[in-house]
Amino acid sequence: MLNDDVPLLDQHCHGVRTADLDRHEFELLMTEAERLGRDRSPFDSMLGVSLRRLCAPVLGLDPHAEAGDYLARRTELGWLTATRRLLGTSGTRTWLVDTGLTALPLTSPAEFAVLADGQAREVVRLEAVAERVAAGGVAAADLADAVERELRARAVSAAGFKSIAAYRGGLALPGRRPDAASVVRAASRWLSSGRGRLDDRDLLAWLAHVGAEIGAELGLPLQFHTGFGDPDLHLREADPLALTDFLRSTSGTGATVVLLHCWPHHRNAAYLAHVFDHVLVDLGLTIPHVGARAGAVLAETLEIAPWRAVCFSSDGYGLPELHHLGAALWRERCGRLVDEWLADDVLTTRDAERLVTGIAGANAARAYGLDWPQA
Amino acid sequence: MLNDDVPLLDQHCHGVRTADLDRHEFELLMTEAERLGRDRSPFDSMLGVSLRRLCAPVLGLDPHAEAGDYLARRTELGWLTATRRLLGTSGTRTWLVDTGLTALPLTSPAEFAVLADGQAREVVRLEAVAERVAAGGVAAADLADAVERELRARAVSAAGFKSIAAYRGGLALPGRRPDAASVVRAASRWLSSGRGRLDDRDLLAWLAHVGAEIGAELGLPLQFHTGFGDPDLHLREADPLALTDFLRSTSGTGATVVLLHCWPHHRNAAYLAHVFDHVLVDLGLTIPHVGARAGAVLAETLEIAPWRAVCFSSDGYGLPELHHLGAALWRERCGRLVDEWLADDVLTTRDAERLVTGIAGANAARAYGLDWPQA
Amino acid sequence: MLNDDVPLLDQHCHGVRTADLDRHEFELLMTEAERLGRDRSPFDSMLGVSLRRLCAPVLGLDPHAEAGDYLARRTELGWLTATRRLLGTSGTRTWLVDTGLTALPLTSPAEFAVLADGQAREVVRLEAVAERVAAGGVAAADLADAVERELRARAVSAAGFKSIAAYRGGLALPGRRPDAASVVRAASRWLSSGRGRLDDRDLLAWLAHVGAEIGAELGLPLQFHTGFGDPDLHLREADPLALTDFLRSTSGTGATVVLLHCWPHHRNAAYLAHVFDHVLVDLGLTIPHVGARAGAVLAETLEIAPWRAVCFSSDGYGLPELHHLGAALWRERCGRLVDEWLADDVLTTRDAERLVTGIAGANAARAYGLDWPQA
């Protein structure tokens, strides 16, 4: 039932590298570690075997081709052909592209749309906007207004906002937007200390609240990185439960909050989506990483998450393999889970279709205000 | 092996509504959210499909009847007939009814027993007793004595006590009972601030310790809400591990503590039941909510919980469907799990029977001092 | 594929009792509880049924022999014969034996090697060394040097170090080694208060950092107890995520850190092993306890752990049954999991062999510098 015909809306991903990559560059993009261990290859992981199994055929190899053969074939085809095939065969129609990561050169949403032969919309990272405004030169007293102006300007063409507070001290944001005076004081501290990486707690909290407010006004959901990621974050502080006060305070304001990735706190995220009707949850980064375990993680999430609160995304970053894997694994494993429930008479075919098409795209389409079948 | 003949002891539930309910009222009782989302129905959830599957036949419909048809049939039968059928066919013989929730009019234990054609005993909520004593007018210096007197009076006919500290600041209770002077000071603060909802940390800690002490003396277990619930609680503060100091201090005193619900902290609860021989654990609210996943959650709990420390309950509240679902899902999914283990030669039939009959009722019956086969 | 021929390296265990045990003594060694509950036997647990199933045949009984019959047979054979059979048939070739537990008389590594007809190497417990140095009489100003000298002396014949900071206030160790002055102050406090159980936070942090430093220099991994254990620990403080700062600071120094046991925080541990290339993870104590659930827990761990970062151990302690069970359950359940993945075409036979032989021993052998096939 859940076959390649169900179109996907990848509600959170990043651009891809537009270059041929050597093995070291490729492997670094397969892991959240900051460097490759002496005796460890990311190919020796659930993600690694899934990539060889599901991506190798897309490049014309047998499933399970060895890593070296896969990379040789990829180089032979060239990044452009490989990327077009991987994105083009993912069955994803629309991509919401976070443009806030600038450590490596990545495609813009427009470039991504061309490569993928689909639609792409931007997700604007709050902290990146603030850092750019600061870098452009602004007085502390004017920072808040300047950032808010820029967010509104960016919102015109964007589909959503994103906060990476999880990477900047954690998700324990206050329930109230910090007042103007404390924002000016915080801006003064930050700007005078070099306008670099934004990690002031008051400014981060203010940004998240402003993102939620503007988002509520303009219909843009606010995404939060939650759960695992690179070692820059502390996994305990990235527990979405730390957002509880923030979610209480944004409930009923018209804001929509999307909890991304979530693993291993996905049950906590599901709880938040259960009790707060403005909260959605996805598994994003989790799905390509856990590979064949994606169905198990999804089942844990669905224990309590309302069906219409769960979204698909791949969190693909750098390698189009990750975008493809997210889609292929989600199809395979969500499909398997639902088939098991059907075989067990847990639900009806109609229930299953509603569940699957909702996660595939309809739930996100409603939240982001995008055209979508059955949204 | 685990069929409808195994009687259940529902060691934690609430009364039911004695009125016909409209769809909005019914759906609100299906969820822990405080309001129904614009585009979400609680029927689109594991609980929703389970309710349609397992309760519809009780009301004479086909399994999986659509929500609208189910509710129409329920109205046609009337709440009284529907309730009698749902409770009467649950296979539950004895119900321990928490009477502390007064937001909605619910049946008393005596009324419940009549509707269910079974036995019902009261579980007395500590905080409700304290709030009633305060509302009745008492001096701060007399509050402790008055509450303790009232608890002893209520204990005469009750089966156990219950604490909802999880909803009033969390489970991080001190290992020591606050001393008399600090209780008087806390009582003074609370009474002078309006005698409303009790959320003073000292009084809550004192109440829990007093509940454990009186319970130890009179043979009444003390239940704690732990794990998920409505958004009034912070799920992290409802982690039963926060009770560690309290459990250390009550160990060996004769007190029995029952950890209710637990999800998603059920493995933590199982650990506490493993290391403290006066601690029991149930899954309560979890079972109706997670539906077909109840076996998976139970399996995680049984990884380390002593078999004789695990109890069944439904946490049914308001809707007799929830009482029925808890029982039906537990039978089905615990039965399935044990059948799989039998097929895999993990245990013997005799082991399986001991495991199942213990959880079904014998373990709780020993703890509460109730008559029960094989207790 | 994963049969009895795959040799195991048990990278964390303890010695065994060299005496015939009565039922009470035996049962106390089956549980992490400090005493046996009135109405609970540890045989009524996943560990209990696994022990009867898998150890009874080793002693010449049918699988699932009743507990009383098992213990009678064990007594009839005598502890020596039973121990030789249980260790000798485990398929474990090399044992790394933590010698830091002295509450009961246990075999030394040399004695253990004879009983097991295998190789045994010592793991030196940091806190035990410090406590012994203190008990021997040392001035506060000399403690650090004396402990470091003793650790270096013990390192000559040892395979690794172990920290039980989890049991002494928790794993939230600082990222920096406490400076000399604060170590002297802490030593002064501790020595003047009786030189007993070491639970000073500064000294524990210093010890862990020194263990990591000497280990990096001499090639000895540093093991940490994490996750569940006896009620002396607080399970939340034993979450390996509390080690995040310590792991950040030891990353790239040449140190290797092994997270032991981990349950129920095994997904957190897997994350740490994913992002830090000097971190390994095992399930140790978890496997005998969860019995037939070992495959499920291992699957959760493998969701994100690099395959070459996962190790086998039994954490056997006191009873050779536990060493045997750890090995037998790991073989059975890891084998089952991999067989399911093979049947599902998730990976190739070659992948499966790499995964299994790595966990069985090759990964640990590389970390500890031991001879091993395919290490």
Side-chain angles (χ1 to χ4, degrees):
Chain A
M1 182 218 66
L2 179 66
N3 58 27
D4 293 349
D5 298 337
V6 178
L8 295 177
L9 194 168
D10 190 337
Q11 68 105 27
H12 180 76
C13 67
H14 304 265
V16 293
R17 295 293 309 276
T18 55
D20 290 322
L21 306 173
D22 64 25
R23 180 160 182 157
H24 186 262
E25 291 169 317
F26 190 93
E27 288 192 331
L28 266 180
L29 287 166
M30 290 175 67
T31 173
E32 294 298 312
E34 285 184 337
R35 62 169 181 269
L36 300 175
R38 205 179 17 171
D39 57 9
R40 298 182 188 177
S41 161
F43 277 104
D44 281 326
S45 68
M46 296 309 284
L47 184 148
V49 292
S50 302
L51 191 154
R52 286 167 40 220
R53 175 168 67 94
L54 293 165
C55 296
V58 179
L59 303 196
L61 301 174
D62 287 337
H64 306 295
E66 287 298 320
D69 296 337
Y70 181 83
L71 295 171
R73 173 66 178 159
R74 194 182 197 271
T75 300
E76 183 186 27
L77 289 173
W79 72 266
L80 182 59
T81 300
T83 298
R84 281 192 170 136
R85 287 200 197 169
L86 288 161
L87 298 182
T89 59
S90 68
T92 305
R93 181 182 294 184
T94 299
W95 317 74
L96 305 190
V97 183
D98 171 4
T99 54
L101 263 174
T102 54
L104 289 172
L106 299 174
T107 50
S108 69
E111 293 164 335
F112 193 95
V114 172
L115 285 171
D117 192 20
Q119 298 178 309
R121 293 285 298 282
E122 184 181 18
V123 171
V124 173
R125 193 180 285 205
L126 301 175
E127 294 80 5
V129 167
E131 289 169 356
R132 198 168 317 171
V133 167
V138 66
D142 301 331
L143 181 75
D145 282 352
V147 168
E148 193 165 336
R149 260 197 315 276
E150 179 66 12
L151 288 175
R152 288 180 179 278
R154 298 285 293 278
V156 171
S157 59
F161 291 131
K162 178 181 175 190
S163 163
I164 55 160
Y167 278 100
R168 306 289 176 92
L171 293 173
L173 302 175
R176 286 197 193 174
R177 174 175 165 163
D179 62 26
S182 61
V183 171
V184 173
R185 279 195 304 274
S188 178
R189 286 194 302 269
W190 179 43
L191 295 176
S192 64
S193 71
R195 300 157 192 267
R197 175 188 160 94
L198 174 58
D199 55 11
D200 181 276
R201 305 284 298 155
D202 284 326
L203 288 180
L204 289 162
W206 174 81
L207 261 180
H209 277 281
V210 166
E213 287 167 27
I214 299 178
E217 183 187 330
L218 304 178
L220 275 67
L222 171 57
Q223 304 178 339
F224 278 92
H225 178 103
T226 77
F228 82 117
D230 70 51
D232 211 20
L233 61 70
H234 191 305
L235 186 52
R236 197 179 276 180
E237 294 164 357
D239 185 339
L241 288 183
L243 281 173
T244 302
D245 288 341
F246 182 84
L247 297 177
R248 280 181 185 146
S249 75
T250 53
S251 173
T253 64
T256 297
V257 173
V258 186
L259 307 173
L260 303 174
H261 320 318
C262 302
W263 188 99
H265 309 302
H266 44 285
R267 279 171 161 156
N268 293 350
Y271 165 73
L272 295 170
H274 179 110
V275 293
F276 294 114
D277 65 0
H278 67 309
V279 174
L280 292 96
V281 57
D282 92 353
L283 295 174
L285 178 60
T286 309
I287 293 181
H289 274 279
V290 308
R293 291 282 302 169
V297 174
L298 179 62
E300 290 177 359
T301 306
L302 287 173
E303 282 167 3
I304 200 161
W307 289 1
R308 289 165 73 92
V310 182
C311 303
F312 163 74
S313 84
S314 70
D315 196 42
Y317 166 67
L319 302 179
E321 278 84 353
L322 300 176
H323 302 75
H324 186 91
L325 260 188
L329 283 167
W330 184 82
R331 277 182 204 288
E332 178 181 275
R333 298 294 155 174
C334 182
R336 182 85 60 96
L337 178 65
V338 168
D339 284 346
E340 286 167 7
W341 283 344
L342 281 169
D344 190 21
D345 193 37
V346 166
L347 37 62
T348 66
T349 303
R350 196 176 148 197
D351 296 329
E353 284 172 353
R354 205 162 53 222
L355 173 59
V356 166
T357 56
I359 304 179
N363 297 340
R366 282 196 310 279
Y368 293 90
L370 304 173
D371 278 339
W372 200 260
Q374 306 166 44
Chain B
M1 184 216 67
L2 180 65
N3 57 28
D4 293 349
D5 299 337
V6 177
L8 295 177
L9 193 170
D10 190 337
Q11 68 106 27
H12 180 77
C13 66
H14 304 264
V16 293
R17 294 292 310 275
T18 54
D20 290 321
L21 306 174
D22 65 26
R23 180 160 183 157
H24 186 261
E25 291 169 316
F26 190 92
E27 288 192 331
L28 266 179
L29 287 165
M30 290 175 68
T31 173
E32 294 298 311
E34 285 183 338
R35 62 169 180 267
L36 300 176
R38 206 179 17 173
D39 56 10
R40 300 182 187 177
S41 161
F43 277 103
D44 282 325
S45 68
M46 295 309 285
L47 185 149
V49 291
S50 302
L51 191 153
R52 286 167 40 221
R53 175 168 67 94
L54 293 165
C55 296
V58 179
L59 303 197
L61 301 174
D62 287 337
H64 306 293
E66 288 299 320
D69 296 337
Y70 180 84
L71 295 171
R73 173 67 177 157
R74 194 182 198 272
T75 300
E76 182 186 31
L77 289 172
W79 72 266
L80 182 59
T81 299
T83 298
R84 282 193 169 137
R85 286 201 197 168
L86 288 161
L87 298 181
T89 58
S90 69
T92 306
R93 180 181 296 182
T94 300
W95 318 74
L96 306 189
V97 183
D98 171 4
T99 54
L101 264 175
T102 53
L104 290 173
L106 300 174
T107 50
S108 68
E111 293 164 335
F112 193 95
V114 171
L115 285 171
D117 192 20
Q119 298 177 308
R121 292 286 298 282
E122 184 181 18
V123 172
V124 174
R125 192 178 286 205
L126 301 175
E127 294 80 5
V129 167
E131 289 169 355
R132 197 169 317 171
V133 167
V138 66
D142 300 331
L143 181 75
D145 281 351
V147 168
E148 194 165 335
R149 260 197 313 275
E150 180 65 10
L151 288 174
R152 288 179 179 279
R154 299 285 294 277
V156 171
S157 59
F161 290 130
K162 179 180 176 191
S163 163
I164 54 160
Y167 278 100
R168 305 289 175 92
L171 293 173
L173 301 176
R176 286 199 192 172
R177 173 176 165 162
D179 62 27
S182 61
V183 171
V184 172
R185 279 194 303 274
S188 178
R189 285 195 302 268
W190 179 44
L191 296 177
S192 64
S193 71
R195 299 156 192 266
R197 176 186 159 97
L198 174 58
D199 55 11
D200 181 276
R201 304 286 296 156
D202 285 326
L203 287 180
L204 289 162
W206 173 82
L207 261 181
H209 278 281
V210 166
E213 286 167 27
I214 299 177
E217 183 188 330
L218 304 179
L220 274 66
L222 172 57
Q223 305 178 338
F224 278 92
H225 178 103
T226 77
F228 83 117
D230 70 51
D232 210 21
L233 61 71
H234 190 306
L235 186 53
R236 196 180 275 181
E237 295 164 356
D239 184 339
L241 289 183
L243 280 174
T244 301
D245 288 341
F246 182 84
L247 297 177
R248 280 180 184 147
S249 76
T250 53
S251 173
T253 65
T256 297
V257 174
V258 186
L259 307 173
L260 302 174
H261 320 318
C262 303
W263 189 99
H265 309 301
H266 44 285
R267 279 171 161 156
N268 294 349
Y271 165 74
L272 295 170
H274 179 111
V275 293
F276 295 114
D277 66 359
H278 68 309
V279 174
L280 292 97
V281 57
D282 90 353
L283 295 173
L285 178 60
T286 309
I287 293 182
H289 274 279
V290 307
R293 292 281 303 168
V297 175
L298 179 62
E300 291 176 0
T301 306
L302 286 173
E303 283 168 2
I304 200 162
W307 289 1
R308 289 165 73 91
V310 182
C311 303
F312 163 74
S313 84
S314 70
D315 197 42
Y317 166 67
L319 303 178
E321 277 84 353
L322 300 176
H323 302 75
H324 186 90
L325 259 188
L329 282 167
W330 184 82
R331 276 181 205 288
E332 177 181 274
R333 297 295 155 173
C334 181
R336 182 87 59 96
L337 177 66
V338 167
D339 284 346
E340 286 167 7
W341 283 344
L342 281 169
D344 189 21
D345 192 37
V346 166
L347 38 61
T348 66
T349 303
R350 197 176 146 196
D351 296 329
E353 284 172 354
R354 206 162 53 221
L355 173 58
V356 166
T357 56
I359 303 179
N363 298 340
R366 282 196 308 279
Y368 293 91
L370 304 173
D371 277 339
W372 200 259
Q374 304 167 46
Chain C
M1 183 217 65
L2 179 67
N3 57 28
D4 292 348
D5 298 338
V6 178
L8 294 177
L9 194 168
D10 190 337
Q11 69 105 27
H12 180 78
C13 66
H14 304 265
V16 293
R17 295 293 309 276
T18 54
D20 291 321
L21 306 174
D22 64 26
R23 180 160 182 156
H24 186 260
E25 291 169 317
F26 190 92
E27 288 192 331
L28 266 179
L29 287 165
M30 290 175 68
T31 173
E32 295 297 311
E34 285 184 336
R35 62 168 180 268
L36 300 176
R38 205 180 17 174
D39 56 10
R40 298 181 188 177
S41 161
F43 278 103
D44 282 325
S45 67
M46 296 309 285
L47 184 149
V49 291
S50 302
L51 192 154
R52 286 167 40 221
R53 175 168 67 94
L54 293 166
C55 296
V58 179
L59 302 196
L61 300 175
D62 287 336
H64 306 295
E66 288 298 320
D69 297 336
Y70 181 84
L71 295 171
R73 173 67 177 157
R74 194 183 198 271
T75 300
E76 182 187 29
L77 289 171
W79 72 266
L80 182 59
T81 299
T83 299
R84 281 192 170 137
R85 286 200 197 169
L86 288 161
L87 298 181
T89 58
S90 68
T92 307
R93 180 182 296 184
T94 299
W95 317 73
L96 305 189
V97 182
D98 171 2
T99 54
L101 263 176
T102 54
L104 290 173
L106 299 174
T107 51
S108 69
E111 294 164 334
F112 192 95
V114 172
L115 285 171
D117 192 20
Q119 297 177 310
R121 294 284 298 283
E122 186 182 15
V123 171
V124 173
R125 192 179 285 207
L126 301 175
E127 293 80 5
V129 167
E131 289 169 356
R132 198 168 318 172
V133 167
V138 65
D142 300 330
L143 180 75
D145 282 351
V147 168
E148 194 166 335
R149 261 196 314 276
E150 181 65 11
L151 288 175
R152 288 180 178 278
R154 298 286 293 277
V156 171
S157 59
F161 291 130
K162 178 179 176 191
S163 163
I164 54 159
Y167 278 100
R168 305 289 176 92
L171 292 173
L173 302 175
R176 288 199 192 171
R177 173 175 165 166
D179 62 28
S182 62
V183 170
V184 172
R185 278 195 303 274
S188 178
R189 285 194 302 270
W190 180 42
L191 296 176
S192 64
S193 72
R195 298 153 194 268
R197 175 187 160 94
L198 174 59
D199 55 11
D200 180 277
R201 304 286 296 155
D202 285 326
L203 288 180
L204 289 162
W206 173 82
L207 260 180
H209 277 281
V210 166
E213 287 169 26
I214 298 178
E217 184 188 330
L218 304 179
L220 275 66
L222 172 57
Q223 305 178 339
F224 279 91
H225 178 103
T226 77
F228 82 116
D230 71 50
D232 211 20
L233 62 70
H234 191 306
L235 186 52
R236 197 180 274 181
E237 295 164 356
D239 184 340
L241 288 182
L243 280 173
T244 301
D245 289 340
F246 182 84
L247 297 177
R248 280 180 184 149
S249 75
T250 53
S251 173
T253 65
T256 298
V257 173
V258 187
L259 307 173
L260 303 174
H261 320 317
C262 302
W263 188 98
H265 308 301
H266 44 286
R267 278 172 161 156
N268 293 350
Y271 165 75
L272 295 170
H274 180 111
V275 293
F276 294 115
D277 66 0
H278 68 308
V279 174
L280 292 96
V281 57
D282 91 352
L283 295 174
L285 178 60
T286 309
I287 294 181
H289 274 279
V290 307
R293 289 282 303 168
V297 175
L298 179 62
E300 290 176 0
T301 306
L302 287 173
E303 283 168 2
I304 200 162
W307 288 1
R308 289 165 73 92
V310 183
C311 303
F312 163 74
S313 84
S314 70
D315 197 43
Y317 166 67
L319 302 178
E321 278 84 354
L322 300 176
H323 301 75
H324 186 91
L325 259 188
L329 283 167
W330 183 82
R331 277 181 205 288
E332 178 181 275
R333 297 295 155 175
C334 181
R336 182 86 59 97
L337 178 65
V338 167
D339 284 346
E340 286 168 6
W341 284 343
L342 280 169
D344 190 19
D345 193 38
V346 166
L347 37 64
T348 66
T349 303
R350 198 177 146 194
D351 295 330
E353 284 172 354
R354 206 162 51 224
L355 173 59
V356 166
T357 57
I359 304 179
N363 297 340
R366 282 195 310 279
Y368 292 91
L370 304 173
D371 278 338
W372 200 260
Q374 305 167 47

